């Protein structure tokens, strides 16, 4: 735990989503503002919004953001946080903010932690500090991040990842996993008890089950292999049938080994894994929206053995079917609204 107040620089870009940024800012400044923790001790953090220029910045959501300091005037900071960035239809354009990238890299050289919330990793990855490191990002942006930075190992199913020689590189995943980020920083620098008090005060959550339950499987279709594309199209409606992989091989007219190799190369997963993921996605939908038993759902998606279905479902989503239904089904109060 630190005995002094740490300086936290929350980086604002024109692409920044303000909800995450202001959430991070409010929680890290709450110890002084709301009297959380020992009033005689220094507040663990002093967070402020920084950017390329001082003054008002219009965020992507149309909300003005007050940038208190330009990064060119900041010689030292303890923690750099880049919050969520909204990626447009063209995705992230590398090289748009060289001044911010150079500044973040320089702060890291001086000992600062580099932290991202959700898609903020796109900016920080340009520093090169995350090459050959494990990071997480919003699952919808994972493919784009891998393409932009092939040397970065991307794990979108993880809520929080801490890496680096000094544990100084911290990434949080989709959307509200900024909760995990601020609670991690609080626990690390102010102690577990204060992190728990903060979680209780703000009703923040640690995503201890990871993000796999939220992820929707969508097989790759940009591979250009017509035979595999036809197989994928057939599977959209025939995934519950018995022995679907064997039927795919017959339909393709290819040798079994050739078909499986081409399918894996095209989609990134084996035919069997592809079928399993499609079946689990339908099972998730039924668990969320129906009252069917777990056994009935398993049978509907193609599994006669309920025990095998339960094991597979947990392996893919991280949760048993019953726990998944309890967490993700529409609440009763919402279901009554017409």
């Amino acid at each position: 735990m630190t005995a002094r107040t740490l300086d936290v620089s929350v980086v604002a870009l024109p692409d920044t989503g303000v909800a995450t940024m202001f959430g991070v800012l409010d929680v890290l400044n709450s110890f002084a503002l709301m009297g959380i923790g020992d009033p005689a001790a220094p507040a663990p953090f002093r967070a402020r919004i920084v950017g390329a220029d001082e003054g008002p910045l219009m965020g992507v959501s149309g909300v003005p953001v007050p940038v208190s300091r330009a990064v060119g005037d900041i010689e030292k900071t303890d923690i750099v946080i880049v919050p969520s960035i909204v990626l447009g239809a063209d995705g992230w354009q590398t090289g748009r903010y060289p001044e911010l990238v150079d500044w973040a890299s320089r702060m890291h050289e001086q000992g600062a932690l580099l932290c991202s919330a959700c898609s903020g990793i796109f900016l920080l990855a340009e520093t090169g500090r995350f090459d050959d490191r494990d990071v997480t990002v919003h699952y919808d942006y994972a493919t784009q991040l891998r393409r932009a930075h092939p040397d970065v190992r991307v794990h979108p199913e993880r809520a929080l990842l801490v890496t680096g020689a000094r544990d100084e590189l911290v990434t949080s995943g989709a959307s509200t996993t900024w909760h995990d980020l601020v609670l991690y920083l609080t626990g690390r620098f102010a102690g577990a008890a204060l992190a728990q008090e903060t979680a209780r005060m703000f009703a923040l959550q640690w995503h201890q089950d990871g993000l796999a339950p939220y992820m929707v499987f969508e097989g790759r279709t940009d591979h250009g292999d017509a035979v595999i594309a036809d197989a994928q199209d057939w599977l959209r409606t025939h995934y519950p049938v018995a022995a679907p992989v064997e039927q795919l091989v017959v339909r393709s007219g290819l040798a079994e080994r050739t078909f499986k190799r081409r399918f894996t190369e095209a989609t990134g997963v084996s035919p069997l894994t592809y079928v399993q993921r499609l079946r689990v996605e339908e099972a998730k939908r039924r668990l969320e929206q129906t009252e069917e038993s777990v056994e009935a759902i398993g049978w509907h998606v193609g599994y006669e053995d309920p025990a095998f279905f339960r094991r597979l479902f947990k392996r893919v989503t991280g949760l048993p079917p019953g726990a998944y239904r309890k967490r993700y089904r529409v609440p009763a109060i919402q279901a009554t609204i017409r």
Side-chain angles (χ1 to χ4, degrees):
M1 298 193 305
T2 182
R4 65 179 180 87
T5 299
L6 298 178
D7 186 78
V8 181
S9 296
V10 182
V11 180
L13 311 173
D15 318 82
T16 299
V18 295
T20 299
M21 178 173 57
F22 288 148
V24 168
L25 195 76
D26 280 350
V27 173
L28 293 182
N29 284 334
S30 66
F31 306 95
L33 294 174
M34 302 176 66
I36 300 175
D38 182 358
F45 308 106
R46 180 181 62 253
R48 55 188 171 180
I49 299 174
V50 306
D53 299 295
E54 183 178 337
L57 171 71
M58 185 59 67
V60 69
S61 56
V63 177
V65 177
V67 178
S68 63
R69 291 193 70 185
V71 295
D73 298 329
I74 301 174
E75 295 299 324
K76 183 174 176 56
T77 190
D78 297 297
I79 301 172
V80 174
I81 300 177
V82 182
S84 302
I85 296 168
V86 178
L87 273 61
D90 296 330
W92 176 254
Q93 303 300 311
T94 302
R96 289 179 62 194
Y97 304 106
E99 181 183 2
L100 294 175
V101 172
D102 292 344
W103 173 80
S105 186
R106 189 168 70 253
M107 294 302 100
H108 180 260
E109 288 178 356
Q110 297 177 8
L113 271 68
L114 298 185
C115 308
S116 70
C118 190
S119 48
I121 183 59
F122 278 88
L123 180 76
L124 289 180
E126 292 189 32
T127 66
R129 308 289 173 168
F130 292 83
D131 288 355
D132 298 318
R133 301 291 188 183
D134 296 301
V135 307
T136 185
V137 70
H138 194 291
Y139 31 81
D140 286 346
Y141 294 155
T143 298
Q144 293 184 52
L145 184 60
R146 291 187 181 105
R147 289 173 180 167
H149 299 281
D151 293 329
V152 176
R153 298 190 293 266
V154 185
H155 305 273
E157 75 282 359
R158 299 289 295 275
L160 187 78
L161 277 170
V162 182
T163 186
R166 300 178 286 108
D167 289 339
E168 81 283 10
L169 305 173
V170 186
T171 56
S172 66
S175 303
T176 57
T177 56
W178 68 265
H179 295 192
D180 301 79
L181 174 61
V182 296
L183 291 174
Y184 167 78
L185 293 174
T186 302
R188 176 169 172 173
F189 294 109
L194 197 55
Q196 182 60 46
E197 185 177 350
T198 304
R200 181 189 59 78
M201 174 70 74
F202 289 95
L204 302 179
Q205 296 185 41
W206 282 278
H207 294 81
Q208 298 186 40
D209 297 316
L211 301 176
Y214 297 89
M215 297 172 65
V216 176
F217 176 73
E218 294 180 352
R220 283 180 51 194
T221 58
D222 59 351
H223 44 73
D225 189 323
V227 173
I228 303 307
D230 178 73
Q232 291 175 280
D233 186 62
W234 183 82
L235 278 175
R236 288 190 185 97
T237 53
H238 294 84
Y239 60 84
V241 304
V245 176
E246 287 79 354
Q247 294 196 47
L248 285 173
V249 171
V250 173
R251 283 176 53 84
S252 72
L254 301 173
E256 180 177 353
R257 291 181 62 182
T258 301
F259 172 79
K260 290 181 176 179
R261 175 181 55 78
R262 282 177 56 174
F263 192 100
T264 302
E265 290 175 351
T267 67
V269 296
S270 70
L272 178 60
T273 299
Y274 196 97
V275 170
Q276 291 175 338
R277 294 301 301 272
L278 289 177
R279 289 175 169 181
V280 168
E281 284 304 317
E282 175 61 15
K284 287 163 61 177
R285 187 193 68 78
R286 288 175 176 267
L287 287 166
E288 294 166 3
Q289 301 177 11
T290 76
E291 298 294 336
E292 292 178 278
S293 68
V294 173
E295 291 76 11
I297 291 174
W299 184 85
H300 276 296
V301 300
Y303 296 109
E304 296 182 0
D305 183 349
F308 177 83
F309 167 67
R310 291 174 187 273
R311 290 195 301 271
L312 173 67
F313 190 93
K314 183 176 181 180
R315 187 172 78 238
V316 172
T317 68
L319 293 171
Y324 181 92
R325 166 174 272 165
K326 183 177 180 180
R327 178 172 299 185
Y328 296 106
R329 70 181 308 168
V330 177
I333 188 171
Q334 185 67 33
T336 62
I337 299 175
R338 295 292 185 264

